[in-house]
Amino acid sequence: MVVIGLVLRIPGLATKGLWRDDAWVALSARVDWHTALRMGGVAPGFTLIERLWICLHPDSPLWAQILPLLFGLAGIYAVYAMLRHFRLPTWLRLCGAFTVAVSPVCVQFSTHVKQYAGDLLLSCLLLCLGESARRGPTRRALAILGAASFGSLIFSAQTALVAAGVWAALVIEHYRDRSRIASIMTSGLVAGLLCGAFAWVAFGDLPPTLHNYWRATGAFIDHSSLSNFLQSAGRIFLGFCVGFVPSAGLLDTGGFNLAAA
């Protein structure tokens, strides 16, 4: 599966230059640490790691893409390992790994200088740690899950959704067990406070430009009317489907018609 994933990702590697958004991340290698953190937006950890990586060969666009590519290839095996940890049959593990190997959105962002391939790796880690804590919510298991939740947030804010879901699942699973729910709630509260404090410091004064861009391009659910709600929800669902299944039409992974662009 990893070989299939590599073959599909190689055409996305660039030698002459980077996309505008990717070039912005690569630019962090040419500024000081404080400015680089500001440029990182909601992914300060990834930005700093990528900055260190780019500094090894600062004039090579291809080199800048190698780290996301390694994350993307590792994600294929990570999904397989996660499904094995969940004790699913081998055929389902292979299906999961194959989906990540050929998924258009996974292929695309494995060669973009973005944090998304790393998000997949950390999400698999959080889900595995959550499953281990579900089976036996010991102090050690909960502490490791809390540390991973905090570390994942530093890497990329998107992983907070997965971490929140994992902790919610633990509470739902053990809410009747008084001997365990107290430690789960305490550990979750400590992790939540640490993550909240970091988010307040790191993400509290982000510029609204990106949010406005997403809203203008229809990335959010529109609640202004029932028809707009159904249309926006359908567009988002279409984008989700296109991201996982190669489409015969000219659609990008956002679900937009490229022919009309």
Side-chain angles (χ1 to χ4, degrees):
M1 297 300 175
V2 175
V3 174
I4 294 174
L6 177 61
V7 171
L8 292 175
R9 285 157 174 76
I10 286 177
L13 295 174
T15 56
K16 297 182 179 180
L18 297 172
W19 288 88
R20 180 179 58 186
D21 290 351
D22 294 354
W24 173 262
V25 179
L27 184 61
S28 65
R30 300 181 181 272
V31 298
D32 58 79
W33 285 93
H34 181 267
T35 304
L37 281 171
R38 292 284 296 168
M39 293 173 63
V42 295
F46 169 79
T47 301
L48 293 183
I49 293 173
E50 182 69 23
R51 182 183 188 275
L52 289 171
W53 178 265
I54 293 174
C55 285
L56 297 176
H57 294 283
D59 297 321
S60 172
L62 178 61
W63 179 259
Q65 293 176 288
I66 294 299
L67 186 60
L69 175 63
L70 293 176
F71 285 160
L73 295 176
I76 300 172
Y77 178 76
V79 169
Y80 180 90
M82 178 191 69
L83 296 179
R84 181 177 60 188
H85 186 71
F86 276 79
R87 299 171 181 170
L88 294 179
T90 302
W91 71 271
L92 278 178
R93 304 175 202 168
L94 293 174
C95 285
F98 180 76
T99 299
V100 176
V102 304
S103 164
V105 70
C106 292
V107 171
Q108 177 183 349
F109 287 111
S110 290
T111 54
H112 282 216
V113 189
K114 294 291 186 180
Q115 72 275 14
Y116 305 122
D119 288 345
L120 176 60
L121 283 175
L122 291 174
S123 296
C124 290
L125 174 63
L126 289 170
L127 289 170
C128 286
L129 293 176
E131 173 62 10
S132 295
R134 185 195 67 82
R135 297 172 187 171
T138 62
R139 290 183 178 179
R140 182 175 182 273
L142 294 172
I144 293 175
L145 177 59
S149 300
F150 183 69
S152 298
L153 178 67
I154 295 175
F155 181 88
S156 171
Q158 285 90 331
T159 60
L161 296 174
V162 180
V166 167
W167 284 102
L170 282 176
V171 172
I172 294 172
E173 174 73 13
H174 295 285
Y175 79 97
R176 292 183 178 179
D177 189 341
R178 294 184 178 181
S179 64
R180 291 179 169 180
I181 193 61
S183 60
I184 293 174
M185 293 292 290
T186 301
S187 300
L189 179 61
V190 171
L193 289 174
L194 289 174
C195 290
F198 177 82
W200 182 75
V201 173
F203 311 135
D205 59 346
L206 293 176
T209 306
L210 189 57
H211 181 275
N212 293 336
Y213 170 78
W214 284 338
R215 182 172 57 187
T217 54
F220 298 134
I221 296 290
D222 188 345
H223 300 87
S224 59
S225 68
L226 178 60
S227 61
N228 288 339
F229 173 82
L230 294 176
Q231 183 179 8
S232 60
R235 182 172 58 248
I236 291 174
F237 179 73
L238 176 61
F240 178 82
C241 293
V242 172
F244 277 92
V245 181
S247 172
L250 295 176
L251 295 174
D252 67 2
T253 52
F256 299 104
N257 191 324
L258 297 179

